[in-house]
């Protein structure tokens, strides 16, 4: 899966906006949205929020977790634990990117949030690499990774599975008499 | 007995009026208890440790661990300076009787007397050789008694700081902690004739001046040393508390012990205080507990009498009425009227001391001559002496010192200041000047900038604006037409009203009006096409939005706030002075439209106790609402004589005690209270930008946890929140019909549920009461329900009621606009009989059965299939669902503008068409209400955002258009309609009941012909449905000669005017003509009466069958 696809899925997440126009409920295949009352917060999917924001038709209210104090706590937690900690949103990275790109004026301390989320992301991806590494090294048959988000899986998923395939091929082609340590080279 | 403080020394007293108990403890807090059960006392932290405190005239003096004696205001608890310092902590502080001086005794062996008003005037008394334990001021301010750890009790003469006498009474010790007793001694109040000193297990009473021991008070009950003594305010009783936890009260005159009390845990009593009026003693112990001893001396006759006279004496003080007991006492008659007078001119120095003392002296004893003499002497002494401290002290607080003892009734509340709804306090640098449903006006007032920001929720109204605030505007209002700003006058400039009329079509968008000199604007508001301001001259000035001065009227009191909406103006003002924290507000509501009228004529405004007004305005639909500081939202109930009904308590939604909701708007449909949650504050800051939250309404009905209570609440809420529909329609505003129908449906549905619930609980009387609230159709359903659940008695009752209702309806036809008619179609024979008046039932029976056998069998068997067989394309029967589908869609799109193309299921039957019968589609409501309710809501909402425009003609027009969009759906119908138009029959446009409209319309010639010949057509082609019958009828009608057709048309025109008797005569002709005439007659009745009652038994039966069908 491409990152763009993950982002596409993330756009279905709901965020709260404060519209500055008035519109009846709109009926879409995915469900009804609205009604839009000027000044009244309403939940809409991210794609619509961004669209409205770009047309300056709304003000975005950042999700509850998009807050410096909360993200700092999450980052510390992530650094402290060896395993993956649960994220506030399954699309935290995508949402941060999207919302900060299009509506940074409505999000207080946007830069700090960007850094914090990036830090968390880096920590998690590092953990993921590390666990993939140990997985391959120890020649485990299976592993369980909890609390991974779709985007994170996508960063290593294709590569790791292909790599494992290759290794499998290489291993099966080995002569049974040969010692395994020669592979280390 | 309850926990008061952490363990350690405590002290207690009552405040001047006895309204609360005040304690201090070693936790350094002074607590104010409303009563003993007060779980949330007000705490004032005065230091790390409080040793002693005294309270008088709103001043709280505390001796705390940092060796100071400090003042706090009472009851606010604001620090008010330090009176004096010692080298170690003070052990006891006391006030003198008039509160001008305090005395403090410290562990550094010193006693100081300090003027409260001027702490530089201090007198130090040296002489004790150990820490001072306790002090007591002579009520006449001549002497001061002190007890010390050196074992001595001394009496000092205050004026010359000399020790008058000294008794070695106590055990010696080196520190207060080691002292056996803290020896709280006391002078007798009033005359100060006796000084009581607790010494071991007895209380020794010493005479004034002679300083010899008068007597000892003791009791076998006391087993341990006494710690404290306290005189009752009347000076007749003496209470003493011991180290072992005993409290004993004596009548000093008789030396009789009238009360004994044992502390439940035997803790050392270290504080005792008498209630200033009642027979109550508050006490505290060294473990920090607080207790109250009530009804002292009860059950003992002589004491009882005395005690009651004591209270009488106090009453006498206020009304100046003397009773026999007092007449013997010459002091009182003089002093009490004087006391009354004293209240008025509190500066009167001569009177003041009299009023202070004799109040107690009166009750003192019968030894008047001496007493009066003493007092007089004392008076003169004070006057002559002119103890400079004292005289200078008097003017400082004459009022408080005199008012305190005399007036302890309700206190006037400061009047709340005028405010703009939706604004935050003026003193803030960044504040909201207004936040309403249109937009937000913010004001920035800091060093660099003084500006106003105007922002609209809906940017299509106007773009955001930034204005310099050079005039220093403090008040603002915002509407979709204009911005209104106002400032108070300054020294040079008059108070100004500035209006930015941005919707003006000319180039001048602004106008300004100066108020006359010395007239300040205090509140402003905008309506539709007008602006108003209330000024300090108690005037309300109305302007047009373009700046023309219009009406002007006087207010009965200073304005508090005002608000406008459409043509309505609501003004809240001070009607009078409120007492004890309450505000006394009045409200005027008027309409400034074409016909100007006042709706509320200065009625009192109901507020929660001890609260003030924080918001006033209108709901988006135009119903006046207001919010008080306790968070109660009240709304005008126009359906119940313009009363105010509490619709929400925002405090119930708050999490924390100090959280509040700041109301910004109220919507009735959908029911929304829009407000901003404020954590720990009453109003929100401008940054970060607050987000609006929505609260739901809840009427304070009882037992809303139960199903019954819940439904009752819902029912009445629905009624209250749809009052605006009636109001709007009465005032010719445009509004959504569907809302009303939806509301009626909802209400009737709730009633039916309540009915069913009561039925289940065997509450038949209640059932009848509920049925009384129902519309007639629903009553029929209720009858059915009752008979099905085998409550025949109930069913009987209900049908009687239904008959009654029917006759009521007949007599008052104009009242029942929303009463739905069952007849679905003009020509639908199947439903015809609904419209027959009950008196004709007998006559009808025969031919009704002839006419439609299907209904006959429906009646007989109640077969569920019957509705299906109805040959009526427009009936709501199941078979016609397909037929109605296209029509309903068309109507929906024409009236609503938008529809959900993805929603298939619930559109089968259009919810938008005003259904003929509220409940015969009940089973489908659950689906529909959600959809149509919200849609209607949207519609309404939409309407809300745009200002309401009066469109008196719109009803007619919309009805017509409604009608026309319908016609193309069936060609037969169109033809018929054309016929109607050809006949020039005026449409009776009634939006509320469109089907009715159709029915009531005088018939055309074709219709009359068709009615007469329907039976023929039916006999020829028995399996035709209604549409086909009409088609067939059309062709046959065309085959008639033109003369015949003309005749029919003439007949139709004449038919409407035919009187009833004529009809009756003609009715007895041939069988099939008979029916036609019935219809004709019916129609003439329709046009004459416009409404008619329905036959019950038949309708019931049909409904019953429909019900049975739905059940299956």
């Amino acid at each position: 899966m491409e990152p763009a696809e993950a982002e596409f899925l993330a756009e279905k997440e709901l965020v709260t906006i404060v519209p500055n126009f008035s519109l009846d409920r709109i009926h879409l295949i995915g469900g009804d949205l609205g009604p839009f009352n000027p000044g009244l917060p309403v939940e809409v999917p991210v794609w619509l929020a961004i669209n409205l924001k770009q047309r300056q038709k709304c003000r975005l209210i950042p999700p509850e977790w998009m807050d410096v104090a909360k993200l700092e706590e999450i980052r510390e937690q992530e650094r402290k634990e060896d395993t993956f900690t649960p994220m506030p949103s399954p699309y935290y990275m995508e949402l941060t990117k999207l919302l900060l790109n299009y509506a940074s004026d409505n999000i207080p301390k946007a830069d700090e949030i960007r850094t914090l989320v990036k830090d968390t992301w880096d920590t998690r991806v590092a953990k993921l690499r590390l666990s993939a590494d140990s997985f391959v090294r120890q020649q485990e048959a299976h592993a369980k990774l909890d609390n991974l988000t779709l985007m994170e899986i996508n960063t290593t998923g294709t590569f790791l599975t292909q790599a494992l395939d290759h290794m499998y091929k290489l291993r099966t082609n080995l002569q049974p008499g040969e010692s395994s340590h020669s592979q280390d080279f | 007995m309850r926990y008061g403080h952490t363990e350690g020394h405590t002290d207690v007293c009552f405040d001047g009026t006895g309204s609360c108990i005040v304690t201090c403890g070693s936790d350094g807090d002074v607590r104010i208890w409303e009563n003993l059960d007060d779980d949330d006392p007000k705490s004032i932290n005065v230091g790390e440790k409080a040793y002693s405190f005294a309270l008088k005239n709103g001043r709280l003096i505390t001796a705390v661990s940092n060796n100071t004696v400090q003042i706090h205001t009472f009851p606010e608890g604001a620090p008010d300076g330090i009176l004096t310092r010692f080298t170690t902590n003070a052990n006891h502080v006391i006030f003198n009787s008039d509160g001008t001086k305090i005395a403090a005794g410290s562990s550094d062996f010193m006693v100081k007397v300090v003027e409260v008003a001027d702490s530089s005037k201090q007198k130090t008394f040296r002489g004790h050789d150990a820490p001072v334990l306790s002090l007591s001021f002579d009520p006449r301010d001549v002497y001061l008694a002190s007890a010390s750890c050196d074992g001595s009790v001394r009496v000092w003469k205050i004026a010359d700081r000399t020790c008058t006498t000294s008794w070695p009474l106590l055990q010696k010790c080196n520190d207060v902690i080691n002292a056996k007793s803290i020896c709280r001694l006391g002078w007798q109040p009033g005359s100060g004739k006796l000084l009581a000193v607790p010494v071991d297990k007895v209380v020794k009473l010493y005479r004034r001046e002679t300083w010899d021991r008068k007597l000892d008070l003791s009791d076998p009950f006391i087993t341990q040393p006494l710690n404290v003594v306290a005189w009752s305010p009347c000076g007749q009783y003496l209470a003493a508390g011991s180290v072992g936890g005993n409290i004993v009260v004596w009548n000093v005159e008789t030396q009789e012990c009238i009360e004994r009390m044992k502390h439940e845990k035997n803790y050392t009593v270290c504080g005792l205080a008498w209630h200033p009026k009642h027979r109550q003693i508050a006490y505290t112990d060294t473990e920090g507990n607080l207790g109250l001893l009530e009804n002292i001396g009860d059950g003992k006759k002589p004491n009882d009498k005395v005690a009651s006279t004591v209270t009488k004496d106090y009453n006498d003080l206020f009304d100046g009425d003397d009773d026999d007991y007092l007449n013997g006492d010459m002091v009182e008659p003089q002093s009490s009227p004087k006391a009354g007078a004293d209240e008025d001119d509190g500066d009167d120095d001569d009177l003041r001391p009299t009023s202070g003392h004799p109040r107690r002296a009166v009750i003192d004893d019968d030894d008047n001559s001496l007493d009066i003499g003493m007092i007089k002497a004392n008076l003169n002494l004070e006057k002559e002496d002119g103890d400079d401290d004292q005289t200078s002290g008097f003017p400082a607080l004459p009022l408080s010192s005199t008012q305190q003892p005399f007036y302890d009734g309700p206190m006037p509340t400061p009047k709340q200041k005028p405010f703009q709804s939706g604004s935050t306090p003026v003193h803030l640098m960044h504040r909201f000047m207004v936040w309403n449903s249109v937009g937000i006006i913010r004001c920035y007032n800091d060093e660099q900038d003084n500006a106003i920001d105007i922002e609209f929720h809906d940017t299509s109204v106007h773009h955001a604006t930034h204005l310099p605030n050079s005039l220093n505007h403090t008040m603002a209002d915002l509407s979709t037409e204009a911005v209104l700003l106002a400032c108070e006058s300054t020294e040079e400039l008059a108070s100004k009203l500035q209006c930015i009329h941005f919707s003006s079509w000319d180039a001048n968008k602004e106008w300004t009006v100066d108020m006359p000199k010395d007239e300040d604007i205090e509140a402003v508001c905008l309506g539709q096409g007008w602006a108003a301001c209330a000024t300090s001259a108690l005037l309300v000035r109305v302007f047009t939005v373009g700046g023309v001065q219009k009406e002007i009227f006087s207010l009965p009191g200073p304005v508090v706030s005002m608000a406008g909406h459409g043509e309505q103006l609501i003004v809240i003002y001070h009607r009078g002075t409120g007492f004890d924290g309450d505000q006394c507000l009045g409200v005027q509501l008027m309409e400034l439209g074409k016909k100007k009228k006042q709706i509320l004529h200065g009625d009192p405004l109901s507020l929660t106790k001890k609260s003030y007004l924080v918001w006033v305005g209108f709901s988006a639909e135009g119903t006046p609402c207001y919010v008080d500081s306790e968070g109660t939202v009240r709304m005008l109930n126009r359906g119940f004589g313009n009363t105010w009904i509490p619709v929400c308590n925002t405090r119930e939604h708050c999490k924390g005690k100090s959280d509040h909701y700041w109301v910004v708007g109220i919507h009735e449909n959908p029911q929304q209270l829009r407000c901003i949650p404020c954590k720990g504050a009453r109003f929100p800051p401008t940054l970060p930008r607050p987000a609006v939250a929505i609260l739901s309404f809840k009427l304070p009905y009882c037992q809303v946890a139960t199903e019954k209570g819940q439904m009752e609440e819902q029912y009445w809420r629905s009624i209250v929140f749809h009052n605006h529909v009636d109001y709007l329609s009465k005032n010719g505003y445009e509004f959504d019909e569907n809302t009303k129908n939806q509301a009626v449906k909802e209400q009737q549905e709730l009633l039916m549920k309540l009915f069913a619930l009561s039925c289940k609980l065997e509450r038949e009387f209640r059932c009848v009461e509920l049925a009384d609230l129902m519309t007639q159709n629903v009553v029929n359903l209720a009858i059915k329900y009752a008979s099905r659940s085998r409550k025949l008695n109930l069913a009987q009752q209900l049908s009687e009621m239904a008959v009654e209702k029917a006759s009521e309806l007949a007599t008052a036809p104009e009242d029942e606009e929303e009463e739905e008619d069952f007849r679905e179609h003009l020509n639908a024979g199947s439903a015809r009989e609904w419209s027959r008046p009950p008196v004709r039932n007998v006559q009808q029976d025969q031919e009704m059965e002839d006419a439609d056998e299907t209904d006959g069998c429906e009646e007989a068997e109640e077969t569920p299939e019957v509705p299906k067989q109805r040959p009526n394309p427009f009936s709501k029967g199941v078979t016609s669902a397909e037929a109605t589908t296209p029509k309903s869609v068309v109507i929906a799109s024409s009236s609503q503008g938008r529809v959900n193309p993805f929603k298939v299921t619930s559109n089968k039957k259009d919810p938008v068409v005003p259904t003929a019968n509220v409940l015969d589609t009940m089973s489908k409501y659950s689906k529909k209400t959600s959809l149509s309710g919200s849609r209607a809501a949207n519609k309404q909402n939409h309407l809300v955002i745009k200002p309401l425009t009066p469109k008196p003609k719109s009803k007619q027009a919309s009805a017509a258009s409604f009608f026309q969009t319908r016609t193309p759906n069936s060609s037969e119908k169109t033809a018929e309609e054309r016929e109607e138009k050809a006949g020039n029959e005026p449409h009776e446009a009634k939006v509320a009941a469109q089907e009715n409209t159709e029915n009531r319309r005088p018939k055309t010639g074709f219709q009359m012909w068709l009615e007469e010949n329907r039976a023929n057509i039916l006999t020829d082609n028995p399996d035709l449905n209604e549409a086909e019958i009409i088609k067939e009828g059309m062709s046959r009608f065309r085959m008639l000669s033109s003369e015949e057709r003309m005749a029919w048309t003439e007949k139709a025109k004449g038919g409407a005017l035919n009187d009833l008797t004529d009809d009756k005569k003609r009715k007895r002709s041939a069988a099939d003509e008979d029916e036609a005439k019935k219809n004709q007659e019916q129609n003439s009745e329709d046009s004459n009466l416009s409404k008619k009652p329905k036959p019950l038994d038949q309708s019931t039966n049909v409904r019953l069958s429909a019900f049975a069908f739905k059940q299956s």
Side-chain angles (χ1 to χ4, degrees), chain A residues 8-80:
Chain A
F8 177 76
L9 291 176
E11 283 180 350
K12 276 196 190 146
E13 287 291 287
L14 294 179
V15 287
T16 311
I17 59 162
V18 180
N20 59 17
F21 59 95
S22 165
L23 187 69
D24 253 358
R25 190 174 287 252
I26 51 173
H27 307 289
L28 304 171
I29 295 176
D32 293 356
L33 294 178
F36 297 91
N37 290 312
L40 259 199
V42 61
E43 279 207 332
V44 295
V46 172
W47 60 265
L48 183 61
I50 289 172
N51 184 291
L52 290 174
K53 179 71 198 167
Q54 282 176 323
R55 291 191 286 149
Q56 300 193 324
K57 287 282 185 195
C58 76
R59 196 160 50 80
L60 188 117
I61 295 178
E64 209 183 323
W65 54 267
M66 207 174 272
D67 168 76
V68 172
K70 289 216 173 75
L71 287 173
E72 267 173 357
E73 198 180 306
I74 288 168
R75 183 185 63 179
E76 293 318 309
Q77 186 74 8
E78 189 63 55
R79 284 181 176 168
K80 213 163 65 192

Side-chain angles (χ1 to χ4, degrees), chain B residues 627-867:
Chain B
V627 185
D628 64 33
S629 58
E630 292 299 310
T632 308
V633 184
R634 286 187 182 81
M635 182 182 266
L636 189 71
N637 189 354
R638 296 201 207 257
F640 186 47
N642 287 341
T643 47
W644 296 96
I645 179 168
V647 290
C648 180
N649 186 356
T650 59
R651 295 307 296 272
E652 280 173 12
H653 299 268
C654 291
K655 287 191 192 82
K657 206 183 162 219
S658 53
D659 294 356
H660 292 88
Y661 280 97
W662 193 66
V663 175
V664 295
I666 290 172
H667 287 238
E668 289 178 73
N669 189 10
Q671 294 177 15
Q672 288 180 338
L673 177 64
R674 299 183 181 180
C675 46
I676 295 168
C678 308
K679 235 187 165 125
R682 282 200 169 269
F683 49 83
T686 53
L687 282 173
R689 215 188 140 95
V692 179
I694 290 169
L695 298 183
S696 53
F697 292 105
K698 195 173 139 205
L699 304 190
Y701 272 81
C702 301
Q703 291 184 307
V704 281
T706 64
E707 210 178 340
K708 173 175 167 281
Q710 206 175 353
M711 284 194 285
E712 284 165 345
E713 193 265 341
Q714 279 175 13
Y715 173 72
W716 288 109
R717 179 148 49 90
S718 172
I719 297 265
V720 168
F721 278 84
H722 287 97
N723 280 335
H724 70 270
V725 176
D726 290 336
Y727 175 76
L728 291 179
S729 64
K730 219 192 306 171
N731 286 276
Y733 281 96
E734 184 185 53
F735 70 102
D736 194 352
E737 267 303 324
N738 302 317
T739 321
K740 186 174 181 173
N741 295 328
Q742 212 63 52
V744 173
K745 265 184 223 166
E746 185 194 349
Q747 288 155 15
Q748 297 301 324
E749 204 176 330
L750 281 165
L751 279 179
M752 198 58 214
K753 279 186 196 163
L754 271 170
F755 179 86
L757 188 73
S758 308
C759 247
K760 220 161 51 187
L761 297 172
E762 309 273 322
R763 295 268 185 190
E764 298 195 0
F765 190 83
R766 195 182 285 166
C767 287
V768 175
E769 287 173 327
L770 285 168
D772 201 29
L773 297 168
M774 295 175 181
T775 61
Q776 189 164 13
N777 307 327
V778 189
V779 172
N780 293 331
L781 196 59
I783 295 171
K784 217 180 302 167
Y785 186 95
S787 51
R788 280 180 67 90
S789 49
R790 298 187 192 286
K791 296 192 189 322
L792 295 177
N793 188 21
L794 175 63
Q796 183 64 36
Q797 290 272 350
L798 288 176
S799 50
E800 274 166 29
M801 174 191 281
V803 172
E804 235 167 71
K805 274 200 175 195
S807 57
E808 263 171 43
L809 288 178
T811 52
E814 69 279 0
D815 283 350
E816 44 122 40
E817 268 182 36
E818 62 247 75
E819 175 58 46
E820 257 85 7
D821 201 311
F822 289 156
R823 294 177 309 162
E824 302 293 344
H825 192 270
L826 180 62
N827 293 323
S830 57
R832 215 182 312 134
E833 71 275 18
W834 298 114
S835 53
R836 299 263 163 100
V839 276
R840 304 230 164 71
N841 283 347
V842 190
Q843 295 173 1
Q844 281 174 4
D845 276 349
Q846 179 62 45
E847 96 320 296
M848 183 204 66
E849 268 167 38
D850 292 349
D852 25 61
E853 285 156 11
T854 47
D855 275 5
C857 76
E858 184 182 83
E859 188 183 342
E861 299 164 23
E862 299 186 9
T863 41
E865 295 81 25
V866 170

